[in-house]
């Protein structure tokens, strides 16, 4: 997985310390109701398309850019599905990161699904009843996209009484 230059610059100064980073995750539908997935080069698993916004880049712009870069598909963002902080991860090189994901529902408007960079081993459209194995978080994000519900987020806990 390509590490954005701005993160490489931070890592040069911060070492492997925990970085709290923004992420965008997209549930992309085509006109047939299929979902666009990629089989990630770093894990070999099927996943929703995702990425990291560049400094100053709006999440919706990052989503459209990442979809195009990774899959060759042109898309538009339709709505925010959720805002969610993931558990911290430790990468094989020892770097620590934690992502706050902005999950967006998108609709394909052009292009052809294909492996378009070195982050994916495969890219395909899947009918909802033919999805490959996905983790519970990806499944819940797909369920949110299929439901007509408001944006989901983890509610704030009230401050403890002093």
């Amino acid at each position: 997985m390509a590490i954005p230059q701005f993160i490489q610059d931070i890592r040069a100064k911060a070492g492997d310390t925990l970085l709290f980073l923004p992420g965008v995750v997209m549930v992309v539908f085509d006109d047939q109701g299929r979902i666009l997935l990629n089989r990630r080069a770093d894990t070999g698993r099927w996943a929703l398309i995702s990425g990291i916004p560049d400094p100053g880049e709006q999440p919706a712009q990052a989503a459209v850019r990442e979809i195009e870069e990774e899959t060759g598909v042109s898309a538009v963002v339709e709505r925010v599905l959720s805002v969610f902080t993931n558990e911290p991860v430790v990468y094989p090189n020892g770097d620590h990161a934690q992502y706050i994901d902005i999950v967006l529902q998108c609709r394909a408007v052009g292009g052809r699904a294909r492996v378009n960079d070195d982050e994916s081993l495969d890219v395909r459209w899947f009918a909802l009843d033919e999805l490959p194995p996905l983790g519970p978080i990806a499944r819940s994000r797909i369920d949110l996209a299929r439901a007509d519900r408001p944006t989901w987020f983890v509610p704030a806990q009230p401050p403890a009484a002093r």
Side-chain angles (χ1 to χ4, degrees):
M1 183 157 122
I3 300 172
Q5 185 60 51
F6 80 95
I7 294 176
Q8 292 179 42
D9 295 345
I10 293 169
R11 286 285 180 213
K13 295 176 183 173
D16 64 3
T17 192
L18 178 70
L19 297 181
F20 190 62
L21 298 166
V24 289
V25 178
M26 291 69 72
V27 181
V28 184
F29 290 99
D30 69 3
D31 290 338
Q32 298 171 25
R34 298 178 301 174
I35 293 178
L36 183 64
L37 300 176
N38 69 332
R39 193 159 62 88
R40 296 176 56 102
D42 59 348
T43 65
R45 296 185 192 140
W46 287 99
L48 296 169
I49 311 306
S50 63
I52 298 172
D54 291 329
E57 186 177 35
Q58 294 297 324
Q61 292 172 319
V64 169
R65 175 183 54 77
E66 289 285 352
I67 294 165
E68 175 83 27
E69 284 178 2
E70 294 182 18
T71 72
V73 171
S74 299
V76 295
V77 174
E78 295 184 319
R79 68 182 177 127
V80 174
L81 295 172
S82 69
V83 179
F84 181 84
T85 300
N86 294 292
E87 293 296 319
V89 295
V90 179
Y91 290 100
N93 68 357
D95 289 349
H96 294 72
Q98 186 173 24
Y99 296 91
I100 182 166
D101 283 342
I102 301 163
V103 184
L104 302 163
Q105 180 177 323
C106 301
R107 181 174 40 86
V109 295
R112 183 179 59 83
R114 65 184 187 278
V115 173
N116 205 40
D117 66 9
D118 61 355
E119 295 182 36
S120 301
L121 300 173
D122 197 358
V123 172
R124 291 190 213 167
W125 290 104
F126 288 91
L128 291 171
D129 61 351
E130 297 177 347
L131 291 172
L134 295 168
I137 293 174
R139 288 278 183 178
S140 70
R141 291 169 173 178
I142 292 168
D143 290 345
L144 281 171
R146 296 180 61 214
D148 188 19
R149 295 193 309 254
T151 299
W152 182 87
F153 60 95
V154 175
Q157 298 298 319
R162 293 182 191 235

